Every structure is written in C-alpha cells, then in structure tokens.
Amino acid sequence: MTDIKIRKAEGTWVVRAGGAVLAESKDALELSENGHPDVIYFPRGDIAMAFLDESDQRTTCPHKGEARYYSIVTKSQTLENAAWSYDAPKDDVSRIKDHLAFYPSEKVAVERV
C-alpha cells in the first residue's frame, strides 16, 4: 500500500478559472501520496458545480478507486477533464468522498488565500 495521508488543509483555499472563482473552502482536505505532489480536495458543497460538466473519462487508482472527471466550462473555453472525484473511494481514503480536486495549470489556479 502506498503511503497516503489526508489532513485538513490549513486556511482558505480557492479555485479560479476563466476569471471566475469556482470554489472557495475553509474545509478543504490535503492529500499527500508518495511520489506525487500534494492535492487539495474541495467539498462538493463549496464548489460552483454549474461550471462543471461530467465527462466520460474514468481512471482507476489501485489505492483510491475509480475517479470520475469533470470539464470546466468558462465563457471563453472548456477545460477538458480539469477536475476529478472519487464517488466511492477505498476505505483508507474515505475522507475524500464528496470532494473534488482540480489540476492546477496556467488556466486553473488552486491556491491558498
């Protein structure tokens, strides 16, 4: 089993894309996994889900389970598969259920404010 740690992310975290704030949360989780950058998971209730369209993409992580992907739809573009969630995560990472994570990029900012 890979070493995965989940803890409350300190402070307030936001996701910005296309000039809009898509998420803001004081209840985000930080997931650390060996060999990977830390990932911030946002509670679904703190995300403007109207900006997200579920895509057909699915992947399976042997440690977390099946991930569903979402594209971010902004006024000017669609950012394909820019977010993901585990709807039925494995028991060891059950805290990330009902949370989404976003791929940081030049078009998507995930940052602590």
Side-chain angles (χ1 to χ4, degrees), residues 21-82:
V21 174
L22 304 183
E24 181 172 342
S25 183
K26 291 178 170 38
D27 297 313
L29 298 174
E30 185 173 16
L31 183 143
S32 301
E33 183 174 1
N34 286 353
H36 298 280
D38 289 353
V39 176
I40 302 297
Y41 280 82
F42 291 81
R44 192 176 289 264
D46 291 344
I47 301 168
M49 293 300 292
F51 288 101
L52 302 180
D53 278 346
E54 187 174 348
S55 76
D56 292 333
Q57 181 163 320
R58 300 283 187 275
T59 59
T60 300
C61 169
H63 310 294
K64 295 188 283 290
E66 183 184 75
R68 295 168 48 191
Y69 287 78
Y70 298 83
S71 297
I72 299 171
V73 180
T74 70
K75 289 179 184 169
S76 58
Q77 63 189 328
T78 297
L79 306 171
E80 299 289 338
N81 301 315

